[in-house]
Amino acid sequence: MLDLILLPVALLLALGLRAARRGDPRHHGHLMTAAFTLVGIRLALPFPYLPHAHRSLGLGLLALAAGTILLGRQALAWREGRSQRAAAPRIHRAAGTFTLVVAALAAVAWLLRRGF
């Protein structure tokens, strides 16, 4: 059965990427942080059927997303003129792309494991 709490996460991710595309970095940050929070809540809920290795991989993905969010804060500081690190947006974009690819692969593996 599809985990229904992950449907709003997919919507938040899509809206967050759209906000980034439109050039609204604050809205993008808020939406991505909300998606991160929902995934964290879902991982905190009990998984009686989930092996420890899969839970650890999920927490690793969550840690990767947290690092990307922190890089996004640095990129926003540079954009607003509060930082001199000009490479921050480029690093955040690369980390975000990597996080999105890993999340998509994890979602596909999760769906295939469940027999969909």
Side-chain angles (χ1 to χ4, degrees):
M1 186 171 142
L2 183 61
D3 196 350
L4 294 179
I5 205 166
L6 295 178
L7 291 176
V9 171
L11 178 65
L12 287 169
L13 286 174
L15 291 174
L17 292 174
R18 190 175 109 198
R21 183 74 136 169
R22 288 183 163 181
D24 190 4
R26 286 210 174 264
H27 194 97
H28 167 72
H30 293 310
L31 290 168
M32 291 302 192
T33 303
F36 170 79
T37 304
L38 279 177
V39 170
I41 289 170
R42 181 59 189 113
L43 284 175
L45 295 174
F47 281 106
Y49 59 87
L50 192 65
H52 181 67
H54 292 138
R55 182 182 292 248
S56 297
L57 289 174
L59 291 174
L61 179 60
L62 197 62
L64 184 64
T68 302
I69 288 173
L70 291 176
L71 288 170
R73 290 180 49 89
Q74 292 177 357
L76 184 63
W78 177 80
R79 179 183 284 266
E80 293 178 346
R82 296 180 282 124
S83 173
Q84 299 298 321
R85 298 182 63 183
R90 186 175 55 249
I91 295 170
H92 168 67
R93 199 173 304 118
T97 302
F98 180 69
T99 303
L100 189 61
V101 167
V102 170
L105 290 174
V108 166
W110 179 72
L111 288 172
L112 290 176
R113 180 188 65 85
R114 302 271 301 186
F116 289 106

